[in-house]
Amino acid sequence: MKAIKLLVICLVCVIGLASCDQNKIITADQLPAPAQTYIQKNYPGVGVTYAKQDKELFSTKYDVRLDNGMEIEFDGDGMPKDIDMDMD
């Protein structure tokens, strides 16, 4: 019985750790190729301020901020999902 309880506790811990988001700052060159192409085509001459990779249990997304204040969210394949413009 103690072995079963220990096994259940271990499984809960492993699942909990695996489901934690893994956020990592990356360079623009590390974005998926379609995301790089999208930025170059639609925002020529605008640099990338930062790019962040968000890995979740079953998906990955990329958050990018451009020098002009534009924020773009890409899915794991590099397709744009959401675009926001900073109006400051």
Side-chain angles (χ1 to χ4, degrees):
M1 190 63 155
K2 286 185 180 184
I4 293 174
K5 287 182 182 179
L6 182 60
L7 180 62
V8 169
I9 291 171
C10 288
L11 286 174
V12 169
C13 289
V14 168
I15 291 171
L17 290 174
S19 67
C20 291
D21 291 351
Q22 296 177 8
N23 300 328
K24 178 170 73 168
I25 300 297
I26 60 173
T27 65
D29 295 339
Q30 294 173 305
L31 289 168
Q36 293 180 40
T37 301
Y38 178 86
I39 293 168
Q40 292 167 357
K41 180 179 176 186
N42 294 288
Y43 307 99
V46 179
V48 173
T49 303
Y50 77 84
K52 181 175 69 170
Q53 179 186 48
D54 292 332
K55 282 189 174 183
E56 296 179 5
L57 189 58
F58 296 110
S59 66
T60 300
K61 72 175 185 171
Y62 298 89
D63 295 317
V64 177
R65 183 171 179 94
L66 303 179
D67 290 338
N68 64 359
M70 182 79 61
E71 292 183 4
I72 308 170
E73 180 182 325
F74 295 95
D75 65 16
D77 295 325
M79 298 285 97
K81 291 175 52 178
D82 188 33
I83 300 171
D84 293 321
M85 180 65 183
D86 188 9
M87 300 302 284
D88 287 341

